[in-house]
Amino acid sequence: MMRNTDFLAKVSDTMARPREFDTDEALEAAMHVFWEHGYEGASLPDLLTGMGLTRGSLYKAFDDKHSLFLRVLTRYEEGAVARAETLLSTGSATDGFARITQLFDNAIGVVQSGDRRGCLLCSAAAGPSAYDPEIAAAVKQGLEKIRDGFATALDASQVPEPERAALADLLVTQYVGVRIMARSRDPLEPLARAGDAIRVLLSRW
């Protein structure tokens, strides 16, 4: 029979050990919580439930909500942002304008299919990056990648070289706007018109 002292020692040892979990899976789950609720809207209970962690495990692995969000932004940049940049830079379409319109069509199509989360990076640009320097730096890095993608696509277009930089900047702002609008509960028509406006803009070259 186990003595009380032995039992208490085992319980104490179990409580002292950190809960084991897959960090990659936890970050993926946290990304979806932030993506759904935004940085400010994602409460600690939301994160704990979504990630399947205890409060102690979350703080031990990720320090705090702010540090966790920065790691999530890095993950999002390595995934969704990198895919957008790849589509613009080396997409199947040989024409740069076709790649650009495809990116906007994809973004609008996701909303039309019922996904109103928009873009996590763009939401951060409109939210915590306004007052948090670290988040602002992460957002800037991600948006620069998207801008680089637009610039590469424009290199494969009819736009005169002196005008490409300004147009790349304009397309980034339009993309961010479309992705932020996706989170609103307004009708979808303005988003569709935004896609049409991009086509009209590009057709002038």
Side-chain angles (χ1 to χ4, degrees):
M1 177 180 294
M2 181 181 295
R3 293 177 300 176
N4 286 340
T5 54
D6 294 335
F7 174 76
L8 291 174
K10 286 182 175 294
V11 171
S12 176
D13 180 61
T14 300
M15 294 177 64
R17 290 197 302 268
R19 179 177 176 180
E20 295 181 359
F21 61 90
D22 187 299
T23 301
D24 192 62
E25 290 180 0
L27 282 172
E28 180 73 15
M31 182 179 72
H32 287 285
V33 173
F34 282 123
W35 201 348
E36 178 70 27
H37 299 286
Y39 177 68
E40 293 93 347
S43 67
L44 182 59
D46 290 332
L47 289 166
L48 296 179
T49 300
M51 298 169 73
L53 300 182
T54 64
R55 183 187 300 257
S57 295
L58 186 148
Y59 284 135
K60 186 175 182 63
F62 304 109
D63 294 332
D64 54 27
K65 177 181 174 180
H66 180 262
S67 299
L68 174 61
F69 188 64
L70 289 174
R71 291 186 64 174
V72 162
L73 281 179
T74 297
R75 183 180 185 85
Y76 189 82
E77 181 183 325
E78 293 171 346
V81 174
R83 287 192 294 273
E85 183 187 17
T86 298
L87 186 155
L88 291 167
S89 302
T90 59
S92 57
T94 56
D95 178 69
F97 286 171
R99 297 179 205 161
I100 293 169
T101 55
Q102 183 180 349
L103 180 69
F104 280 93
D105 286 346
N106 289 352
I108 295 169
V110 168
V111 181
Q112 292 171 333
S113 70
D115 187 342
R116 304 300 295 254
R117 294 177 301 173
C119 166
L120 178 60
L121 184 73
C122 299
S123 297
S129 69
Y131 57 81
D132 188 294
E134 289 183 285
I135 294 177
V139 168
K140 179 181 178 183
Q141 178 174 291
L143 292 181
E144 284 178 346
K145 286 189 175 182
I146 295 176
R147 187 201 178 280
D148 289 343
F150 280 125
T152 301
L154 291 173
D155 286 341
S157 72
Q158 302 299 316
V159 178
E161 186 172 356
E163 300 176 21
R164 293 175 191 169
L167 183 54
D169 291 335
L170 176 61
L171 288 168
V172 170
T173 62
Q174 291 298 306
Y175 182 75
V176 172
V178 165
R179 298 291 264 162
I180 291 174
M181 284 178 62
R183 292 185 63 84
S184 73
R185 297 305 169 189
D186 292 335
L188 299 177
E189 287 79 3
L191 286 177
R193 289 198 298 268
D196 293 338
I198 294 298
R199 287 184 171 81
V200 171
L201 174 67
L202 297 179
S203 70
R204 297 187 177 181
W205 280 277

